[in-house]
Amino acid sequence: MDFQIIDNCLMIRLPEEIDHHEAGFICETADRYLLREDVRNVVFDFERTRFMDSSGIGIIMGRYRKISCFGGRVYAIHVDRQIERIFKLSGLNKVVEILNMPESLQGMDSVAESY
Amino acid sequence: MKNEMEIIFDAVSDNEGFARVAVAAFIAHLNPTLEEMADVKTAVSEAVTNSIIHGYENLKGYGRAERDWEEVHKGKVRVRCILEKEILRIEVADSGKGIEDVKKAMEPLFTTRPELERSGMGFAFMEAFMDDLEVESAPGKGTVVRMVKKIGTGSWIDCEG
């Protein structure tokens, strides 16, 4: 799992499966970053994720509560249909903004790297 | 045709993934849609997680418990699946502390452990992803969660194409 700070955003690359077993580690590590670094927004990247249960909702809601009082926002990227269903069912889509990256932008990282 | 399987495993979080994958493998030959597969896996994951963290109050959740092989966890979770044609019945049972008020526990967002930062959506997810849900529990008597789902309803759509 990767945690990375870009500008004032904490980027969290989530694992393949998000369940209670994984949740503790993600929450603890994320909170350590929130405490130590100057983080305003949190971005959850679901690119690798193939499974998520309600533990994932807890992870996102918990982080949202921690940063929203300082005006921070929570975003989700690379959200597939299954995960979007879970977002809708839990009402999380009212709190988290799902960013759909246009196809043209998705290859940008590799382009930037080659320079 | 009737087909049945039963697994019993230690109530530790390492086994949450194992349980849902085992059930998924059991129904794989029915050609479930991706959605049905995800529904079943999520529901099993919710029920098993509930048994582990509420039934047995094993709250750690990660850290690959450094247990001796000699030492066997006293709490067990039993997952039983019965497949009758395309009807899948799943029973997740534990002999943990049980639920005082089942009706209350099933309310969305209700949780007895807000400090765990979990969502309180476990039963709501089981209800939403399965066709039927039944919970039998009493304090000190453990909990049995019974779920039913029809699998392979998508297959005739595939045939059309």
mmCIF file of all heavy atoms in Angstrom, chain A residues 17 19-22 24-25 28 31 51-55 57-59 62-63 66 81-82 85-86 89-90, chain B residues 13-14 16-17 20 34-35 38-39 41-42 45-46 49 53 59 61-62 64 117-119 121 125 128-129:
data_model
loop_
_atom_site.group_PDB
_atom_site.id
_atom_site.type_symbol
_atom_site.label_atom_id
_atom_site.label_comp_id
_atom_site.label_asym_id
_atom_site.label_seq_id
_atom_site.Cartn_x
_atom_site.Cartn_y
_atom_site.Cartn_z
ATOM 1 N N GLU A 17 -7.825 -5.960 -1.720
ATOM 2 C CA GLU A 17 -9.018 -6.296 -0.961
ATOM 3 C C GLU A 17 -9.073 -5.415 0.288
ATOM 4 O O GLU A 17 -8.108 -5.337 1.034
ATOM 5 C CB GLU A 17 -8.970 -7.761 -0.523
ATOM 6 C CG GLU A 17 -8.642 -8.722 -1.646
ATOM 7 C CD GLU A 17 -9.625 -9.869 -1.732
ATOM 8 O OE1 GLU A 17 -9.832 -10.513 -0.697
ATOM 9 O OE2 GLU A 17 -10.192 -10.103 -2.822
ATOM 10 N N ASP A 19 -10.911 -5.124 3.693
ATOM 11 C CA ASP A 19 -11.824 -5.696 4.682
ATOM 12 C C ASP A 19 -11.337 -5.294 6.068
ATOM 13 O O ASP A 19 -10.427 -4.481 6.202
ATOM 14 C CB ASP A 19 -11.923 -7.222 4.523
ATOM 15 C CG ASP A 19 -10.575 -7.906 4.663
ATOM 16 O OD1 ASP A 19 -9.595 -7.236 5.041
ATOM 17 O OD2 ASP A 19 -10.505 -9.122 4.401
ATOM 18 N N HIS A 20 -11.954 -5.844 7.088
ATOM 19 C CA HIS A 20 -11.599 -5.484 8.458
ATOM 20 C C HIS A 20 -10.145 -5.806 8.753
ATOM 21 O O HIS A 20 -9.451 -5.081 9.463
ATOM 22 C CB HIS A 20 -12.555 -6.235 9.405
ATOM 23 C CG HIS A 20 -12.016 -6.471 10.771
ATOM 24 N ND1 HIS A 20 -11.714 -7.718 11.238
ATOM 25 C CD2 HIS A 20 -11.707 -5.610 11.762
ATOM 26 C CE1 HIS A 20 -11.258 -7.609 12.468
ATOM 27 N NE2 HIS A 20 -11.244 -6.355 12.818
ATOM 28 N N HIS A 21 -9.659 -6.900 8.134
ATOM 29 C CA HIS A 21 -8.272 -7.319 8.366
ATOM 30 C C HIS A 21 -7.278 -6.245 7.925
ATOM 31 O O HIS A 21 -6.263 -6.020 8.569
ATOM 32 C CB HIS A 21 -8.029 -8.621 7.600
ATOM 33 C CG HIS A 21 -6.665 -9.191 7.817
ATOM 34 N ND1 HIS A 21 -6.256 -9.646 9.056
ATOM 35 C CD2 HIS A 21 -5.621 -9.358 6.976
ATOM 36 C CE1 HIS A 21 -5.002 -10.081 8.940
ATOM 37 N NE2 HIS A 21 -4.603 -9.912 7.704
ATOM 38 N N GLU A 22 -7.581 -5.590 6.811
ATOM 39 C CA GLU A 22 -6.688 -4.556 6.264
ATOM 40 C C GLU A 22 -6.962 -3.187 6.879
ATOM 41 O O GLU A 22 -6.083 -2.325 6.897
ATOM 42 C CB GLU A 22 -6.881 -4.443 4.743
ATOM 43 C CG GLU A 22 -6.555 -5.705 3.958
ATOM 44 C CD GLU A 22 -5.054 -5.905 3.808
ATOM 45 O OE1 GLU A 22 -4.314 -4.942 4.069
ATOM 46 O OE2 GLU A 22 -4.651 -7.020 3.428
ATOM 47 N N GLY A 24 -7.447 -1.796 9.829
ATOM 48 C CA GLY A 24 -6.704 -1.240 10.950
ATOM 49 C C GLY A 24 -5.417 -0.572 10.515
ATOM 50 O O GLY A 24 -5.109 0.548 10.934
ATOM 51 N N PHE A 25 -4.686 -1.249 9.639
ATOM 52 C CA PHE A 25 -3.410 -0.718 9.173
ATOM 53 C C PHE A 25 -3.607 0.574 8.369
ATOM 54 O O PHE A 25 -2.874 1.546 8.550
ATOM 55 C CB PHE A 25 -2.689 -1.769 8.311
ATOM 56 C CG PHE A 25 -1.438 -1.258 7.670
ATOM 57 C CD1 PHE A 25 -0.284 -1.085 8.428
ATOM 58 C CD2 PHE A 25 -1.419 -0.939 6.323
ATOM 59 C CE1 PHE A 25 0.871 -0.600 7.838
ATOM 60 C CE2 PHE A 25 -0.259 -0.457 5.724
ATOM 61 C CZ PHE A 25 0.884 -0.282 6.489
ATOM 62 N N GLU A 28 -4.638 3.496 10.753
ATOM 63 C CA GLU A 28 -3.551 3.937 11.610
ATOM 64 C C GLU A 28 -2.503 4.720 10.835
ATOM 65 O O GLU A 28 -2.034 5.769 11.282
ATOM 66 C CB GLU A 28 -2.883 2.726 12.261
ATOM 67 C CG GLU A 28 -3.234 2.599 13.724
ATOM 68 C CD GLU A 28 -2.653 1.338 14.328
ATOM 69 O OE1 GLU A 28 -1.457 1.064 14.103
ATOM 70 O OE2 GLU A 28 -3.409 0.627 15.017
ATOM 71 N N ASP A 31 -3.865 8.118 9.673
ATOM 72 C CA ASP A 31 -3.959 9.074 10.781
ATOM 73 C C ASP A 31 -2.595 9.613 11.187
ATOM 74 O O ASP A 31 -2.473 10.756 11.601
ATOM 75 C CB ASP A 31 -4.645 8.424 11.983
ATOM 76 C CG ASP A 31 -6.137 8.268 11.741
ATOM 77 O OD1 ASP A 31 -6.609 8.804 10.722
ATOM 78 O OD2 ASP A 31 -6.803 7.608 12.545
ATOM 79 N N PHE A 51 -12.105 -5.746 -4.257
ATOM 80 C CA PHE A 51 -13.130 -6.102 -3.280
ATOM 81 C C PHE A 51 -13.148 -5.095 -2.139
ATOM 82 O O PHE A 51 -12.091 -4.675 -1.669
ATOM 83 C CB PHE A 51 -12.869 -7.513 -2.716
ATOM 84 C CG PHE A 51 -13.808 -7.873 -1.609
ATOM 85 C CD1 PHE A 51 -15.053 -8.426 -1.888
ATOM 86 C CD2 PHE A 51 -13.476 -7.632 -0.285
ATOM 87 C CE1 PHE A 51 -15.942 -8.727 -0.872
ATOM 88 C CE2 PHE A 51 -14.364 -7.927 0.744
ATOM 89 C CZ PHE A 51 -15.593 -8.478 0.449
ATOM 90 N N MET A 52 -14.356 -4.729 -1.731
ATOM 91 C CA MET A 52 -14.473 -3.875 -0.549
ATOM 92 C C MET A 52 -15.767 -4.215 0.186
ATOM 93 O O MET A 52 -16.789 -4.408 -0.448
ATOM 94 C CB MET A 52 -14.471 -2.398 -0.953
ATOM 95 C CG MET A 52 -14.628 -1.461 0.225
ATOM 96 S SD MET A 52 -14.349 0.271 -0.185
ATOM 97 C CE MET A 52 -16.025 0.833 -0.426
ATOM 98 N N ASP A 53 -15.698 -4.320 1.492
ATOM 99 C CA ASP A 53 -16.929 -4.481 2.273
ATOM 100 C C ASP A 53 -17.152 -3.240 3.133
ATOM 101 O O ASP A 53 -16.511 -2.213 2.907
ATOM 102 C CB ASP A 53 -16.924 -5.798 3.078
ATOM 103 C CG ASP A 53 -15.873 -5.786 4.179
ATOM 104 O OD1 ASP A 53 -15.326 -4.713 4.487
ATOM 105 O OD2 ASP A 53 -15.603 -6.865 4.740
ATOM 106 N N SER A 54 -18.030 -3.321 4.121
ATOM 107 C CA SER A 54 -18.395 -2.107 4.855
ATOM 108 C C SER A 54 -17.232 -1.536 5.665
ATOM 109 O O SER A 54 -17.287 -0.391 6.105
ATOM 110 C CB SER A 54 -19.598 -2.370 5.767
ATOM 111 O OG SER A 54 -19.223 -3.186 6.852
ATOM 112 N N SER A 55 -16.169 -2.323 5.846
ATOM 113 C CA SER A 55 -14.990 -1.784 6.529
ATOM 114 C C SER A 55 -14.425 -0.583 5.765
ATOM 115 O O SER A 55 -13.904 0.350 6.368
ATOM 116 C CB SER A 55 -13.898 -2.844 6.627
ATOM 117 O OG SER A 55 -14.406 -4.040 7.131
ATOM 118 N N ILE A 57 -16.107 1.605 4.106
ATOM 119 C CA ILE A 57 -16.930 2.772 4.432
ATOM 120 C C ILE A 57 -16.417 3.406 5.729
ATOM 121 O O ILE A 57 -16.297 4.625 5.829
ATOM 122 C CB ILE A 57 -18.412 2.358 4.638
ATOM 123 C CG1 ILE A 57 -18.909 1.521 3.462
ATOM 124 C CG2 ILE A 57 -19.305 3.560 4.891
ATOM 125 C CD1 ILE A 57 -18.857 2.212 2.156
ATOM 126 N N GLY A 58 -16.101 2.555 6.698
ATOM 127 C CA GLY A 58 -15.588 3.041 7.978
ATOM 128 C C GLY A 58 -14.285 3.803 7.809
ATOM 129 O O GLY A 58 -14.088 4.851 8.426
ATOM 130 N N ILE A 59 -13.392 3.279 6.963
ATOM 131 C CA ILE A 59 -12.105 3.938 6.723
ATOM 132 C C ILE A 59 -12.336 5.339 6.169
ATOM 133 O O ILE A 59 -11.784 6.331 6.662
ATOM 134 C CB ILE A 59 -11.249 3.141 5.705
ATOM 135 C CG1 ILE A 59 -10.927 1.748 6.243
ATOM 136 C CG2 ILE A 59 -9.966 3.902 5.352
ATOM 137 C CD1 ILE A 59 -10.220 0.859 5.239
ATOM 138 N N GLY A 62 -14.262 7.755 8.634
ATOM 139 C CA GLY A 62 -13.382 8.142 9.736
ATOM 140 C C GLY A 62 -12.424 9.240 9.332
ATOM 141 O O GLY A 62 -12.237 10.220 10.061
ATOM 142 N N ARG A 63 -11.813 9.099 8.159
ATOM 143 C CA ARG A 63 -10.863 10.116 7.674
ATOM 144 C C ARG A 63 -11.601 11.398 7.359
ATOM 145 O O ARG A 63 -11.115 12.499 7.601
ATOM 146 C CB ARG A 63 -10.127 9.645 6.399
ATOM 147 C CG ARG A 63 -9.042 8.575 6.518
ATOM 148 C CD ARG A 63 -8.543 8.307 7.875
ATOM 149 N NE ARG A 63 -9.242 7.143 8.390
ATOM 150 C CZ ARG A 63 -9.429 6.849 9.660
ATOM 151 N NH1 ARG A 63 -8.957 7.627 10.594
ATOM 152 N NH2 ARG A 63 -10.104 5.783 10.034
ATOM 153 N N LYS A 66 -12.179 13.448 10.337
ATOM 154 C CA LYS A 66 -10.962 14.081 10.856
ATOM 155 C C LYS A 66 -10.565 15.328 10.087
ATOM 156 O O LYS A 66 -10.000 16.255 10.651
ATOM 157 C CB LYS A 66 -9.805 13.068 10.824
ATOM 158 C CG LYS A 66 -10.002 11.973 11.861
ATOM 159 C CD LYS A 66 -8.680 11.486 12.409
ATOM 160 C CE LYS A 66 -8.923 10.747 13.718
ATOM 161 N NZ LYS A 66 -9.185 9.317 13.528
ATOM 162 N N ARG A 81 -17.574 -0.163 -10.900
ATOM 163 C CA ARG A 81 -19.020 -0.240 -10.686
ATOM 164 C C ARG A 81 -19.384 -0.827 -9.333
ATOM 165 O O ARG A 81 -20.282 -0.355 -8.657
ATOM 166 C CB ARG A 81 -19.655 -1.060 -11.808
ATOM 167 C CG ARG A 81 -20.559 -0.210 -12.675
ATOM 168 C CD ARG A 81 -21.152 -1.017 -13.800
ATOM 169 N NE ARG A 81 -21.977 -2.120 -13.329
ATOM 170 C CZ ARG A 81 -22.206 -3.218 -14.040
ATOM 171 N NH1 ARG A 81 -21.651 -3.358 -15.212
ATOM 172 N NH2 ARG A 81 -22.972 -4.181 -13.566
ATOM 173 N N GLN A 82 -18.679 -1.894 -8.959
ATOM 174 C CA GLN A 82 -18.975 -2.546 -7.677
ATOM 175 C C GLN A 82 -18.796 -1.582 -6.514
ATOM 176 O O GLN A 82 -19.619 -1.503 -5.610
ATOM 177 C CB GLN A 82 -18.023 -3.730 -7.455
ATOM 178 C CG GLN A 82 -18.421 -5.009 -8.129
ATOM 179 C CD GLN A 82 -19.873 -5.347 -7.908
ATOM 180 O OE1 GLN A 82 -20.432 -5.100 -6.841
ATOM 181 N NE2 GLN A 82 -20.502 -5.894 -8.919
ATOM 182 N N ARG A 85 -21.395 1.100 -6.317
ATOM 183 C CA ARG A 85 -22.642 0.579 -5.730
ATOM 184 C C ARG A 85 -22.590 0.668 -4.209
ATOM 185 O O ARG A 85 -23.556 1.049 -3.560
ATOM 186 C CB ARG A 85 -22.805 -0.903 -6.100
ATOM 187 C CG ARG A 85 -23.646 -1.144 -7.306
ATOM 188 C CD ARG A 85 -23.653 -2.627 -7.614
ATOM 189 N NE ARG A 85 -24.626 -3.357 -6.837
ATOM 190 C CZ ARG A 85 -24.495 -4.642 -6.515
ATOM 191 N NH1 ARG A 85 -23.435 -5.307 -6.867
ATOM 192 N NH2 ARG A 85 -25.425 -5.248 -5.830
ATOM 193 N N ILE A 86 -21.445 0.274 -3.657
ATOM 194 C CA ILE A 86 -21.286 0.308 -2.204
ATOM 195 C C ILE A 86 -21.314 1.749 -1.696
ATOM 196 O O ILE A 86 -21.908 2.039 -0.671
ATOM 197 C CB ILE A 86 -19.997 -0.439 -1.804
ATOM 198 C CG1 ILE A 86 -20.227 -1.936 -2.031
ATOM 199 C CG2 ILE A 86 -19.586 -0.139 -0.374
ATOM 200 C CD1 ILE A 86 -19.071 -2.824 -1.706
ATOM 201 N N LEU A 89 -25.008 2.806 -1.808
ATOM 202 C CA LEU A 89 -25.810 2.096 -0.796
ATOM 203 C C LEU A 89 -25.593 2.670 0.598
ATOM 204 O O LEU A 89 -26.502 2.738 1.409
ATOM 205 C CB LEU A 89 -25.406 0.625 -0.822
ATOM 206 C CG LEU A 89 -26.365 -0.343 -0.178
ATOM 207 C CD1 LEU A 89 -27.589 -0.479 -1.051
ATOM 208 C CD2 LEU A 89 -25.706 -1.693 0.008
ATOM 209 N N SER A 90 -24.367 3.107 0.857
ATOM 210 C CA SER A 90 -24.045 3.574 2.198
ATOM 211 C C SER A 90 -24.221 5.086 2.325
ATOM 212 O O SER A 90 -24.044 5.631 3.405
ATOM 213 C CB SER A 90 -22.604 3.200 2.533
ATOM 214 O OG SER A 90 -21.740 3.782 1.589
ATOM 215 N N SER B 13 -8.902 -12.375 12.090
ATOM 216 C CA SER B 13 -9.220 -11.590 10.895
ATOM 217 C C SER B 13 -8.500 -12.097 9.646
ATOM 218 O O SER B 13 -8.946 -11.852 8.534
ATOM 219 C CB SER B 13 -8.902 -10.120 11.138
ATOM 220 O OG SER B 13 -7.509 -9.934 11.265
ATOM 221 N N ASP B 14 -7.396 -12.835 9.831
ATOM 222 C CA ASP B 14 -6.696 -13.402 8.672
ATOM 223 C C ASP B 14 -7.638 -14.278 7.843
ATOM 224 O O ASP B 14 -7.423 -14.474 6.658
ATOM 225 C CB ASP B 14 -5.521 -14.289 9.119
ATOM 226 C CG ASP B 14 -4.581 -13.570 10.046
ATOM 227 O OD1 ASP B 14 -5.029 -13.137 11.122
ATOM 228 O OD2 ASP B 14 -3.411 -13.436 9.694
ATOM 229 N N GLU B 16 -10.865 -13.837 7.191
ATOM 230 C CA GLU B 16 -12.001 -13.189 6.531
ATOM 231 C C GLU B 16 -11.920 -13.369 5.021
ATOM 232 O O GLU B 16 -12.917 -13.696 4.371
ATOM 233 C CB GLU B 16 -12.034 -11.699 6.887
ATOM 234 C CG GLU B 16 -12.427 -11.444 8.335
ATOM 235 C CD GLU B 16 -12.016 -10.076 8.857
ATOM 236 O OE1 GLU B 16 -11.566 -9.221 8.060
ATOM 237 O OE2 GLU B 16 -12.125 -9.872 10.077
ATOM 238 N N GLY B 17 -10.729 -13.164 4.492
ATOM 239 C CA GLY B 17 -10.548 -13.333 3.051
ATOM 240 C C GLY B 17 -10.742 -14.769 2.626
ATOM 241 O O GLY B 17 -11.376 -15.058 1.609
ATOM 242 N N ARG B 20 -14.607 -15.768 2.381
ATOM 243 C CA ARG B 20 -15.404 -15.301 1.240
ATOM 244 C C ARG B 20 -14.923 -15.919 -0.066
ATOM 245 O O ARG B 20 -15.723 -16.193 -0.960
ATOM 246 C CB ARG B 20 -15.436 -13.771 1.165
ATOM 247 C CG ARG B 20 -14.116 -13.087 1.015
ATOM 248 C CD ARG B 20 -14.257 -11.591 0.786
ATOM 249 N NE ARG B 20 -12.942 -10.986 0.688
ATOM 250 C CZ ARG B 20 -12.291 -10.432 1.707
ATOM 251 N NH1 ARG B 20 -12.853 -10.359 2.888
ATOM 252 N NH2 ARG B 20 -11.086 -9.933 1.527
ATOM 253 N N LEU B 34 -20.602 -11.174 -12.398
ATOM 254 C CA LEU B 34 -19.618 -10.492 -11.538
ATOM 255 C C LEU B 34 -20.311 -9.861 -10.346
ATOM 256 O O LEU B 34 -19.807 -9.871 -9.229
ATOM 257 C CB LEU B 34 -18.908 -9.398 -12.331
ATOM 258 C CG LEU B 34 -17.701 -9.821 -13.166
ATOM 259 C CD1 LEU B 34 -17.142 -8.610 -13.895
ATOM 260 C CD2 LEU B 34 -16.629 -10.456 -12.283
ATOM 261 N N GLU B 35 -21.496 -9.313 -10.626
ATOM 262 C CA GLU B 35 -22.237 -8.632 -9.581
ATOM 263 C C GLU B 35 -22.689 -9.610 -8.497
ATOM 264 O O GLU B 35 -22.540 -9.345 -7.299
ATOM 265 C CB GLU B 35 -23.439 -7.935 -10.197
ATOM 266 C CG GLU B 35 -23.906 -6.737 -9.428
ATOM 267 C CD GLU B 35 -24.716 -5.811 -10.305
ATOM 268 O OE1 GLU B 35 -24.124 -4.998 -11.035
ATOM 269 O OE2 GLU B 35 -25.948 -5.935 -10.266
ATOM 270 N N ALA B 38 -19.769 -10.624 -6.376
ATOM 271 C CA ALA B 38 -19.375 -9.574 -5.435
ATOM 272 C C ALA B 38 -20.385 -9.480 -4.289
ATOM 273 O O ALA B 38 -20.006 -9.294 -3.133
ATOM 274 C CB ALA B 38 -19.273 -8.238 -6.166
ATOM 275 N N ASP B 39 -21.668 -9.643 -4.608
ATOM 276 C CA ASP B 39 -22.710 -9.590 -3.579
ATOM 277 C C ASP B 39 -22.478 -10.668 -2.520
ATOM 278 O O ASP B 39 -22.513 -10.393 -1.319
ATOM 279 C CB ASP B 39 -24.097 -9.823 -4.202
ATOM 280 C CG ASP B 39 -24.546 -8.645 -5.037
ATOM 281 O OD1 ASP B 39 -23.844 -7.623 -5.039
ATOM 282 O OD2 ASP B 39 -25.596 -8.764 -5.692
ATOM 283 N N LYS B 41 -19.748 -12.406 -1.895
ATOM 284 C CA LYS B 41 -18.490 -12.213 -1.160
ATOM 285 C C LYS B 41 -18.627 -11.133 -0.095
ATOM 286 O O LYS B 41 -18.148 -11.285 1.032
ATOM 287 C CB LYS B 41 -17.350 -11.834 -2.136
ATOM 288 C CG LYS B 41 -16.765 -13.051 -2.844
ATOM 289 C CD LYS B 41 -15.831 -12.646 -3.952
ATOM 290 C CE LYS B 41 -14.426 -12.365 -3.469
ATOM 291 N NZ LYS B 41 -13.522 -12.115 -4.624
ATOM 292 N N THR B 42 -19.297 -10.042 -0.457
ATOM 293 C CA THR B 42 -19.460 -8.961 0.513
ATOM 294 C C THR B 42 -20.302 -9.432 1.702
ATOM 295 O O THR B 42 -19.940 -9.204 2.859
ATOM 296 C CB THR B 42 -20.118 -7.729 -0.138
ATOM 297 O OG1 THR B 42 -19.415 -7.425 -1.331
ATOM 298 C CG2 THR B 42 -20.084 -6.525 0.781
ATOM 299 N N SER B 45 -18.337 -11.726 3.905
ATOM 300 C CA SER B 45 -17.331 -10.949 4.606
ATOM 301 C C SER B 45 -17.939 -10.197 5.790
ATOM 302 O O SER B 45 -17.364 -10.172 6.888
ATOM 303 C CB SER B 45 -16.687 -9.973 3.621
ATOM 304 O OG SER B 45 -15.515 -9.442 4.149
ATOM 305 N N GLU B 46 -19.112 -9.608 5.580
ATOM 306 C CA GLU B 46 -19.779 -8.872 6.663
ATOM 307 C C GLU B 46 -20.120 -9.802 7.825
ATOM 308 O O GLU B 46 -19.863 -9.482 8.983
ATOM 309 C CB GLU B 46 -21.072 -8.213 6.167
ATOM 310 C CG GLU B 46 -20.911 -7.214 5.033
ATOM 311 C CD GLU B 46 -20.115 -5.989 5.407
ATOM 312 O OE1 GLU B 46 -19.854 -5.782 6.608
ATOM 313 O OE2 GLU B 46 -19.734 -5.235 4.499
ATOM 314 N N THR B 49 -16.932 -11.132 9.592
ATOM 315 C CA THR B 49 -16.296 -10.055 10.356
ATOM 316 C C THR B 49 -17.077 -9.771 11.639
ATOM 317 O O THR B 49 -16.495 -9.600 12.707
ATOM 318 C CB THR B 49 -16.183 -8.773 9.510
ATOM 319 O OG1 THR B 49 -15.490 -9.087 8.306
ATOM 320 C CG2 THR B 49 -15.431 -7.690 10.238
ATOM 321 N N ILE B 53 -15.310 -9.802 15.261
ATOM 322 C CA ILE B 53 -15.075 -8.623 16.095
ATOM 323 C C ILE B 53 -16.150 -8.402 17.150
ATOM 324 O O ILE B 53 -15.876 -7.828 18.185
ATOM 325 C CB ILE B 53 -14.857 -7.328 15.289
ATOM 326 C CG1 ILE B 53 -16.087 -6.977 14.481
ATOM 327 C CG2 ILE B 53 -13.663 -7.427 14.396
ATOM 328 C CD1 ILE B 53 -15.916 -5.663 13.777
ATOM 329 N N LEU B 59 -10.554 -7.695 18.297
ATOM 330 C CA LEU B 59 -10.653 -6.394 17.655
ATOM 331 C C LEU B 59 -9.443 -5.980 16.840
ATOM 332 O O LEU B 59 -9.461 -4.986 16.167
ATOM 333 C CB LEU B 59 -10.904 -5.327 18.725
ATOM 334 C CG LEU B 59 -12.050 -5.658 19.675
ATOM 335 C CD1 LEU B 59 -12.127 -4.628 20.779
ATOM 336 C CD2 LEU B 59 -13.360 -5.729 18.932
ATOM 337 N N GLY B 61 -7.716 -6.815 14.105
ATOM 338 C CA GLY B 61 -7.981 -6.477 12.712
ATOM 339 C C GLY B 61 -6.799 -6.560 11.775
ATOM 340 O O GLY B 61 -6.968 -6.664 10.592
ATOM 341 N N TYR B 62 -5.613 -6.500 12.268
ATOM 342 C CA TYR B 62 -4.467 -6.667 11.388
ATOM 343 C C TYR B 62 -3.259 -7.032 12.235
ATOM 344 O O TYR B 62 -3.342 -7.189 13.441
ATOM 345 C CB TYR B 62 -4.180 -5.405 10.578
ATOM 346 C CG TYR B 62 -3.495 -4.318 11.360
ATOM 347 C CD1 TYR B 62 -2.141 -4.070 11.163
ATOM 348 C CD2 TYR B 62 -4.165 -3.575 12.316
ATOM 349 C CE1 TYR B 62 -1.498 -3.090 11.890
ATOM 350 C CE2 TYR B 62 -3.533 -2.595 13.035
ATOM 351 C CZ TYR B 62 -2.197 -2.356 12.818
ATOM 352 O OH TYR B 62 -1.567 -1.391 13.515
ATOM 353 N N ARG B 64 -1.178 -9.610 11.593
ATOM 354 C CA ARG B 64 -0.869 -11.038 11.486
ATOM 355 C C ARG B 64 -0.481 -11.633 12.837
ATOM 356 O O ARG B 64 0.689 -11.797 13.148
ATOM 357 C CB ARG B 64 0.247 -11.273 10.464
ATOM 358 C CG ARG B 64 -0.310 -11.398 9.077
ATOM 359 C CD ARG B 64 0.246 -10.384 8.127
ATOM 360 N NE ARG B 64 -0.610 -10.208 6.979
ATOM 361 C CZ ARG B 64 -1.081 -9.040 6.587
ATOM 362 N NH1 ARG B 64 -0.835 -7.965 7.255
ATOM 363 N NH2 ARG B 64 -1.818 -8.950 5.528
ATOM 364 N N GLU B 117 -14.467 2.846 14.582
ATOM 365 C CA GLU B 117 -14.608 3.552 13.316
ATOM 366 C C GLU B 117 -15.039 2.621 12.208
ATOM 367 O O GLU B 117 -14.483 2.619 11.123
ATOM 368 C CB GLU B 117 -13.279 4.220 12.926
ATOM 369 C CG GLU B 117 -12.933 5.367 13.814
ATOM 370 C CD GLU B 117 -12.035 6.353 13.126
ATOM 371 O OE1 GLU B 117 -10.994 5.928 12.663
ATOM 372 O OE2 GLU B 117 -12.399 7.537 13.060
ATOM 373 N N ARG B 118 -16.009 1.804 12.537
ATOM 374 C CA ARG B 118 -16.587 0.996 11.494
ATOM 375 C C ARG B 118 -17.903 1.659 11.123
ATOM 376 O O ARG B 118 -18.332 2.604 11.770
ATOM 377 C CB ARG B 118 -16.753 -0.438 11.963
ATOM 378 C CG ARG B 118 -15.384 -1.028 12.394
ATOM 379 C CD ARG B 118 -15.513 -2.438 12.828
ATOM 380 N NE ARG B 118 -16.298 -3.194 11.884
ATOM 381 C CZ ARG B 118 -15.869 -3.589 10.702
ATOM 382 N NH1 ARG B 118 -14.639 -3.317 10.331
ATOM 383 N NH2 ARG B 118 -16.656 -4.250 9.895
ATOM 384 N N SER B 119 -18.545 1.189 10.069
ATOM 385 C CA SER B 119 -19.652 1.990 9.555
ATOM 386 C C SER B 119 -21.002 1.669 10.169
ATOM 387 O O SER B 119 -21.938 2.458 10.081
ATOM 388 C CB SER B 119 -19.725 1.838 8.047
ATOM 389 O OG SER B 119 -19.859 0.479 7.718
ATOM 390 N N MET B 121 -22.774 -0.670 8.990
ATOM 391 C CA MET B 121 -23.570 -1.033 7.814
ATOM 392 C C MET B 121 -23.568 -2.532 7.535
ATOM 393 O O MET B 121 -24.067 -2.972 6.505
ATOM 394 C CB MET B 121 -23.034 -0.300 6.578
ATOM 395 C CG MET B 121 -23.133 1.207 6.625
ATOM 396 S SD MET B 121 -24.820 1.793 6.555
ATOM 397 C CE MET B 121 -25.229 1.426 4.866
ATOM 398 N N PHE B 125 -25.782 -4.199 4.579
ATOM 399 C CA PHE B 125 -25.167 -4.721 3.361
ATOM 400 C C PHE B 125 -25.638 -6.138 3.080
ATOM 401 O O PHE B 125 -25.952 -6.488 1.949
ATOM 402 C CB PHE B 125 -23.637 -4.700 3.475
ATOM 403 C CG PHE B 125 -23.024 -3.389 3.068
ATOM 404 C CD1 PHE B 125 -23.734 -2.213 3.190
ATOM 405 C CD2 PHE B 125 -21.731 -3.341 2.566
ATOM 406 C CE1 PHE B 125 -23.175 -1.004 2.825
ATOM 407 C CE2 PHE B 125 -21.158 -2.137 2.190
ATOM 408 C CZ PHE B 125 -21.874 -0.971 2.321
ATOM 409 N N ALA B 128 -29.030 -5.962 1.721
ATOM 410 C CA ALA B 128 -29.106 -5.394 0.383
ATOM 411 C C ALA B 128 -28.557 -6.348 -0.685
ATOM 412 O O ALA B 128 -29.066 -6.398 -1.795
ATOM 413 C CB ALA B 128 -28.336 -4.074 0.344
ATOM 414 N N PHE B 129 -27.541 -7.095 -0.333
ATOM 415 C CA PHE B 129 -26.868 -7.908 -1.345
ATOM 416 C C PHE B 129 -27.441 -9.311 -1.467
ATOM 417 O O PHE B 129 -27.177 -10.012 -2.438
ATOM 418 C CB PHE B 129 -25.366 -7.981 -1.066
ATOM 419 C CG PHE B 129 -24.667 -6.667 -1.290
ATOM 420 C CD1 PHE B 129 -23.685 -6.215 -0.411
ATOM 421 C CD2 PHE B 129 -24.978 -5.885 -2.378
ATOM 422 C CE1 PHE B 129 -23.042 -5.000 -0.616
ATOM 423 C CE2 PHE B 129 -24.346 -4.669 -2.596
ATOM 424 C CZ PHE B 129 -23.375 -4.225 -1.707
#
